[in-house]
């Protein structure tokens, strides 16, 4: 019997390594930017799978969820290939333009529809929106505790978990009752590469799609219509950048640098 | 709600397709066509010179927000001190409040922080709401959220600002979710739209490559977390010492503030400082260091400059230094006055975490390393020569040449 059902929330994002700025128009050029699984979410998936591995077979079920356009199916397949049991795609034109509030509304409805999720694992933040707000807002909507920046799950059973979180200057260990939600940092594990079996499964797996109707969501509560924030302008920062190269022998370089630092009052 | 291209005016110039990061625009028969990948980010709307793209059908309820007034700032405490970002926000909040012609207030929650909180008056605060109770001696997000919600619902500020610290970034979303309002994350710029009297919240995204301006629609307060060290803190008056009539002590029923979180323990790394976001000087080491023992020279340099040690992911992943030191997209975002990068190439994910530093010094043996693109001072050289010399120069105080 399934003791613990775990939902892992993941997002597809444009990989930022290739972003270039057109110097003439000062705009962004998307050229060959690949869509990837949000980097932190790979750690969330891995942690879900690792928790399952702590238990006997069949006791833990890990379900991956994403809200996004139809092409986000790809990252769910990736999740399957590294060991997630099943996946659900939340996709509807009405979900587009969601801020973190509307995103958490949609995710909360899906999690309630799945039913009896004991743990929800998210990434610390995304590459694109980069807010880190979906986790705490989702937990609040579900009325469950949230621990951000989880760096280690020390103990877990159906009703309780001990989890360590990383803050700027310390680690804090908490005990919380489940159901609960956590977001993970990179420190928590090292994600595995897909197995051959996993890849085969990902190829053939059926991924159900839930739309607004299936989630019983009003158009007014999801997507841009259901959002409290709206992006009104996007622009590239004007970088006024000047570099002073310090030449000479290492001794001269250091002496010159020392003088510059003195002038700037930093030493 | 829809995003539409006006076929009459669109010339198929391709500009919008180029800027769309979500692969949502195709040019079909000389016209832009937007597909289901669109996330309504607005980048294409901004860039189209012919104003051919428009979002339509967005319902704007005309809500009356006239009972919301004033700017309110959260003074997050760190131990018995208010964190600097709190005072930075009071200074920034003062500007916004003056522009709107409203009052500036602040909330402080904690135990034994009163003395430090009073300092906020020197930055231009009109009123302090103060909750003083030992139940707030640990970072228990849920009861802090409850307390903030109480203050906000009672005093109804139109704008609420908090520091984008790690605690703030998990606490404030909870508050926003309880209040059912929007929250803009990690802002680096705030302004008032003169005409509409609303808050324009600007924040970096995509690793700092893009700035987005965000508004809060249909809800109040307009809430934002603000990146530490970005706003300038400025004392505008002398300490008057007596602020009694400007402090409102809020009594809480402690029994109702029982956290669902049981804090079992706190660990701090005793012999090294990992709170790198809090320092004015960061000296970072990368793969160029070649091993963990080489970090001792980075530590020594940082120590001489009164700073802390940062690292690239390559150094962290090699196990030379612990993860809390990592700077970058999957580590910490830092903003010091001085950032020294030693043997770091400057990959975009690293730059995302440090490029807003005031002064960047790069030391790298490869003159084409991308780190030089963001540095203010560049030294092409061997870190094993340059760094020890700099240490010697700082320590001995004697000129090298
Ligand atoms: C330029 C720009 C700026 C924005 N700024 C803001 C802002 O300041 N405030 C705001 O409210 N919204 C903002 N948004 C909207 C926001 O990006 C979206 O709401 C997005 O769907 C989720 O937020 P995030 O990407 O910040 O996720 P985060 O909160 O950073 O994500 C944390 C974790 O939540 C999970 N998660 C996030 N999105 C999904 C998803 N779609 N499906 C499943 N799991 C998910 C993942 O586990 C992820 O690691 C912005 C959008 C853009 C394009
Ligand atoms: C999704 C994702 C997230 C990431 N997040 C982060 C992040 O948060 N932070 C981060 O830092 N990286 C991150 N990275 C990794 C990033 O892409 C780079 O791989 C990493 O920053 C490289 O670290 P480095 O500069 O130390 O190493 P390298 O790129 O190997 O550079 C080493 C540099 O040292 C110089 N050097 C070598 N020896 C000497 C010497 N004796 N004297 C002087 N110079 C010398 C070399 O010329 C070279 O430029 C991320 C990558 C991905 C894909
Ligand atoms: S930028 Fe404007 S004119 Fe050019 S293709 Fe896009 S919509 Fe058409
Ligand atoms: S709004 Fe953003 S995602 Fe949609 S088409 Fe325009 S640029 Fe692309």
């Amino acid at each position: 019997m399934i003791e613990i059902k775990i939902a892992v929330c993941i997002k597809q994002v444009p990989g930022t390594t290739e972003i270039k700025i057109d110097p003439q128009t000062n705009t962004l050029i998307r050229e060959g930017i690949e869509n990837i699984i949000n980097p932190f979410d790979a750690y969330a998936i891995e942690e879900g799978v690792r928790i399952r591995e702590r238990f006997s077979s069949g006791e833990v079920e890990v379900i991956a969820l994403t809200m996004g356009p139809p092409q986000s199916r790809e990252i769910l397949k990736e999740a399957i290939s590294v060991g997630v049991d099943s996946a659900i795609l939340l996709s509807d034109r009405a979900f587009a333009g969601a801020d973190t509030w509307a995103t958490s509304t949609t995710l909360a409805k899906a999690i309630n529809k799945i039913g009896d999720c004991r743990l929800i694992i998210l990434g610390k933040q995304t590459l694109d929106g980069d807010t880190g707000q979906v986790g705490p807002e989702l937990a609040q909507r579900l009325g469950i505790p949230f621990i951000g920046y989880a760096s280690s799950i020390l103990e877990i059973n159906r009703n309780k978990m001990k989890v360590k979180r990383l803050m700027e200057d310390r680690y804090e260990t908490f005990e919380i009752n489940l159901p609960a939600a956590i977001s993970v940092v990179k420190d928590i594990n090292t994600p595995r590469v897909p197995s051959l079996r996993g890849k085969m499964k990902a190829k053939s797996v059926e991924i159900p799609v839930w739309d607004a109707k299936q989630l019983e969501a009003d158009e007014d509560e999801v997507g841009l219509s259901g959002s409290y924030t709206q992006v009104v302008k996007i622009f590239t920062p004007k970088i006024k950048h000047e570099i002073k190269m310090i030449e000479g022998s290492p001794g001269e370089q250091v002496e010159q640098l020392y003088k510059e630092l003195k002038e700037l009052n930093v030493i | 709600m829809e995003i539409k291209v006006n076929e009459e005016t669109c010339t198929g110039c391709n500009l919008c397709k180029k800027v769309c990061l979500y692969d949502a625009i195709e040019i079909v028969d000389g016209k832009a066509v937007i597909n289901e990948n669109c996330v309504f980010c607005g980048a294409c709307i901004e860039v189209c010179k012919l104003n051919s793209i428009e979002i339509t059908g967005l319902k704007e309820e005309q809500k009356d927000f006239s009972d919301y007034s004033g700017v309110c700032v959260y003074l997050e405490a760190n131990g018995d001190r208010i964190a600097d970002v709190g005072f930075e926000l009071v200074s920034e909040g003062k500007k916004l409040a003056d522009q709107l012609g409203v009052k500036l207030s602040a909330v402080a929650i904690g135990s034994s922080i009163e003395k430090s909180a009073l300092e906020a008056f020197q930055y231009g605060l009109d009123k302090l709401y103060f909750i003083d109770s030992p139940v707030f001696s640990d970072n228990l997000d849920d009861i802090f959220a409850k307390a903030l919600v109480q203050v906000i619902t009672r005093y109804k500020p139109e704008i609420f600002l908090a520091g984008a610290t790690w605690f703030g970034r998990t606490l404030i979303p909870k508050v926003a979710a309880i209040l059912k309002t929007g929250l803009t994350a990690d802002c680096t710029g705030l302004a008032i739209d003169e005409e509409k009297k609303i808050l324009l919240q600007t924040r970096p995204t995509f690793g700092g490559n893009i700035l987005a301006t965000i508004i809060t629609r249909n809800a109040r307060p307009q809430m934002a977390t603000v990146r530490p060290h970005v706003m300038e803190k400025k004392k505008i008056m002398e300490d008057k010492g007596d602020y009694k009539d400007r402090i409102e002590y809020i009594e809480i029923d402690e029994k109702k503030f029982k956290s669902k979180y049981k804090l079992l323990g706190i660990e701090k790394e005793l012999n090294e400082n990992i709170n790198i976001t809090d320092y004015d000087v960061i000296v970072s080491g990368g793969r160029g260091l070649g091993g963990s023992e080489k970090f001792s020279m980075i530590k020594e340099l940082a120590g001489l400059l009164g700073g802390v040690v940062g690292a690239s992911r390559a150094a962290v992943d090699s196990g030379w230094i612990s993860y809390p030191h990592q700077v970058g997209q999957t580590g910490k975002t830092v903003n010091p006055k001085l950032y020294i990068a030693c043997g770091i190439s400057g990959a975009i994910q690293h730059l995302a975490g440090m490029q807003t530093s005031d002064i960047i010094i790069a030391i790298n043996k490869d003159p084409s390393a991308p780190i030089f693109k963001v540095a203010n001072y560049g030294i092409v050289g061997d870190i094993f020569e340059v760094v020890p010399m700099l240490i010697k120069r700082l320590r001995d105080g004697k000129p090298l040449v």
Side-chain angles (χ1 to χ4, degrees):
Chain A
M1 209 193 66
I2 302 290
E3 273 279 298
I4 305 178
K5 218 189 283 177
I6 300 175
V8 181
C9 299
I10 62 178
K11 186 184 183 191
Q12 189 181 51
V13 296
T16 47
T17 12
E18 292 306 319
I19 288 184
K20 294 194 198 91
I21 312 266
D22 180 335
Q24 252 120 51
T25 53
N26 200 37
T27 50
L28 216 73
I29 317 172
R30 176 205 163 100
E31 240 158 29
I33 292 182
E34 262 186 84
N35 288 317
I36 56 166
I37 204 163
N38 178 48
F40 281 109
D41 300 354
Y43 299 90
I45 294 171
E46 178 67 24
E47 202 52 29
V49 174
R50 286 196 187 192
I51 293 172
R52 189 185 62 209
E53 288 166 354
R54 294 187 190 190
F55 291 80
S56 308
S57 145
E59 283 182 342
V60 176
E61 182 186 2
V62 186
I63 305 164
L65 275 183
T66 189
M67 180 193 86
Q71 61 169 24
S72 329
R73 188 184 303 266
E74 290 312 311
I75 60 164
L76 294 173
K77 290 196 165 177
E78 263 182 78
I80 299 265
S81 75
V82 289
V84 160
D85 296 299
S86 61
I88 302 164
L89 173 63
L90 314 174
S91 194
D92 193 310
R93 208 48 208 128
F95 296 158
D99 73 350
T100 55
W101 166 258
T103 301
S104 55
T105 305
T106 309
L107 293 176
K109 282 180 187 281
I111 284 162
N112 284 332
K113 187 173 157 84
I114 295 170
D116 196 36
C117 291
R118 304 303 294 174
L119 179 63
I120 297 147
I121 311 180
L122 305 98
K124 170 175 171 257
Q125 61 200 151
T126 61
L127 280 190
D128 59 344
D130 200 5
T131 65
Q133 290 174 184
V134 170
E137 292 191 3
L138 172 63
Q140 193 59 50
R141 303 229 59 178
L142 294 168
I144 60 177
F146 174 77
I147 297 282
Y149 323 113
S151 66
S152 163
I153 295 177
L154 305 169
E155 279 171 34
I156 179 165
N157 62 37
R158 188 180 150 80
N159 300 313
K160 263 190 187 138
M161 75 190 287
K162 272 189 198 158
V163 55
K164 195 192 258 195
R165 78 170 173 191
L166 171 66
M167 298 302 274
E168 282 115 327
D169 63 344
R170 68 183 87 183
Y171 291 92
E172 294 172 338
T173 304
F174 290 97
E175 183 177 89
I176 49 173
N177 288 336
L178 301 187
I182 60 171
S183 76
V184 301
V185 292
K186 170 184 153 279
D187 223 13
I188 194 162
N189 58 43
T190 309
R192 71 194 67 190
V193 291
S195 65
L196 199 60
R197 231 180 86 210
K199 279 189 190 159
M200 300 291 283
K201 189 177 170 200
K203 252 194 202 138
S204 58
V205 72
E206 285 279 325
I207 295 179
V209 184
W210 291 355
D211 61 12
K213 212 156 146 206
Q214 275 154 299
L215 291 180
E216 294 176 23
D218 258 356
E219 290 226 350
D220 287 351
E221 16 168 25
V222 295
L224 186 50
S225 308
S227 295
Y228 291 125
T229 64
Q230 185 183 357
V231 180
V232 290
K233 188 174 168 193
I234 281 207
F235 54 108
T236 39
K238 292 221 173 30
I239 306 163
K240 288 196 303 278
H241 180 250
E242 261 176 63
I243 179 160
K244 187 160 178 181
M245 294 305 285
I246 302 178
E247 321 273 348
S249 71
E252 287 162 354
Q253 286 175 316
V254 168
E255 199 51 40
Q256 174 76 18
L257 179 65
Y258 182 83
K259 281 199 191 109
E260 300 278 358
L261 293 179
K262 263 257 144 53
E263 252 162 58
L264 291 164
N265 268 331
V266 285
I267 51 174
Chain B
M1 185 197 52
E2 258 183 298
I3 181 159
K4 270 209 260 189
V5 179
N6 182 338
E7 292 197 5
E8 309 271 296
T9 54
C10 170
T11 59
C13 74
N14 209 29
L15 209 54
C16 55
K17 179 177 159 71
K18 265 169 99 181
V19 300
C20 176
L21 288 167
Y22 293 91
D23 227 351
I25 305 184
E26 288 150 280
I27 307 290
V28 181
D29 296 335
K31 306 282 169 201
V33 177
I34 298 179
N35 66 35
E36 63 203 4
N37 291 337
C38 172
V39 303
F40 293 91
C41 75
C44 57
I45 301 175
E46 190 70 24
V47 82
C48 176
K49 296 196 169 70
L50 300 160
N51 295 324
S52 298
I53 309 178
E54 199 186 3
I55 294 178
T56 57
L58 189 61
K59 263 191 256 166
E60 282 303 335
E61 273 173 79
Q62 281 307 321
K63 281 198 193 149
D64 178 15
F65 295 122
S66 55
D67 51 341
Y68 286 85
S69 167
V71 176
C72 184
V73 166
Y74 174 48
L75 300 175
E76 182 184 329
N78 192 347
D80 58 3
R81 287 229 4 113
I82 298 300
D84 267 351
V85 65
F87 301 127
E88 292 161 20
L89 290 179
V90 174
S91 287
E92 184 65 19
K94 173 78 180 149
K95 285 188 221 158
L96 302 173
D98 285 351
Q99 242 173 311
L100 287 166
V102 296
K103 291 264 184 261
L104 173 65
S105 61
V107 196
I109 301 171
S111 64
S112 22
I113 54 167
E114 182 165 1
K115 189 160 162 272
S116 180
L118 290 183
E119 220 185 290
F121 285 108
Q122 296 173 57
Y123 296 91
L125 195 64
D126 295 310
K127 183 126 210 159
L128 176 66
Y129 304 117
F130 188 46
I131 303 181
D132 184 9
S133 161
V135 301
F136 298 109
S137 52
D138 292 315
N139 285 342
L140 302 167
D141 313 36
D142 55 348
I143 57 173
F144 275 81
K146 191 169 175 176
L148 280 174
V149 167
Q150 235 177 48
V151 174
I152 294 170
T153 41
R154 191 179 312 167
Y155 299 101
K156 292 193 165 41
E158 61 199 291
I159 294 175
F160 184 84
L161 308 174
T165 59
W166 285 33
F167 183 58
R169 288 185 78 171
T170 53
L171 167 65
I172 306 300
K174 281 191 185 143
V175 175
I178 298 170
L179 294 169
K180 296 197 168 50
T181 185
L183 176 61
T184 305
D186 203 21
C187 296
T188 52
L190 297 171
I192 300 291
D193 179 318
E194 284 292 337
E195 195 188 321
K196 299 192 188 122
K197 302 278 178 218
I198 57 170
L199 183 65
L200 302 173
Q201 308 157 84
T202 298
R203 59 179 298 248
T205 56
F206 291 97
N209 289 296
I210 300 186
L211 293 173
T213 301
I214 290 168
I215 58 164
T216 308
R217 48 191 288 271
N218 291 341
R220 289 292 179 274
Q222 306 163 82
M223 293 180 62
T225 58
V226 179
R227 190 177 283 189
H229 302 305
V230 171
M231 305 301 176
E232 198 189 347
K233 65 170 188 171
K234 213 166 120 205
K235 283 196 180 163
I236 55 171
M237 62 186 97
E238 287 297 305
D239 186 10
K240 292 208 194 74
D242 186 19
Y243 302 106
K244 269 203 194 71
D245 52 334
R246 284 155 70 191
I247 306 175
E248 188 145 338
Y249 294 92
I250 297 176
E251 296 295 326
I252 55 146
D253 180 356
E254 285 178 4
K255 285 196 296 296
K256 291 202 178 128
F257 283 77
K258 284 256 182 325
S259 178
K260 281 191 193 153
Y261 301 65
K262 195 159 127 203
L263 181 63
L264 301 177
I266 297 176
E267 286 163 60
K268 287 196 181 193
E269 281 184 57
L270 291 177
N271 36 22
E272 59 177 321
N273 208 318
I274 59 170
N275 191 6
I276 63 172
T277 51
D278 230 24
Y279 281 75
D280 285 341
V281 177
I282 297 175
V283 185
S284 279
R287 198 185 331 253
L289 275 173
S292 62
E293 68 289 350
K294 297 294 187 331
F295 260 98
S296 60
M297 104 185 160
I298 301 296
K299 261 181 216 157
E300 192 175 355
L301 179 57
L304 285 165
L305 294 167
V308 280
V309 177
S312 73
R313 174 161 171 182
V316 171
D317 285 356
S318 306
W320 303 338
I321 187 153
S322 65
Y323 173 57
H325 294 273
Q326 184 183 317
V327 172
Q329 198 152 59
T330 46
K332 286 174 177 164
T333 304
V334 298
N335 219 332
K337 293 208 173 78
L338 176 64
Y339 189 90
I340 308 184
C342 307
I344 292 178
S345 62
I348 190 159
Q349 297 90 354
H350 188 79
L351 303 185
M354 46 64 76
Q355 62 190 355
T356 54
S357 307
D358 292 351
I359 296 167
I360 298 167
I361 298 174
I363 309 172
N364 195 305
K365 66 179 181 192
D366 174 8
S368 65
I371 188 78
F372 291 121
K373 289 206 183 108
V374 301
N376 306 90
Y377 295 97
I379 291 186
V380 176
D382 186 344
I383 44 175
F384 299 114
E385 280 187 77
V386 176
V387 174
M389 277 188 180
L390 186 56
I391 289 172
K392 193 166 164 5
R393 181 65 181 91
L394 289 164
R395 203 181 40 209
D396 302 349
K398 280 203 270 310
L400 292 165
V401 281

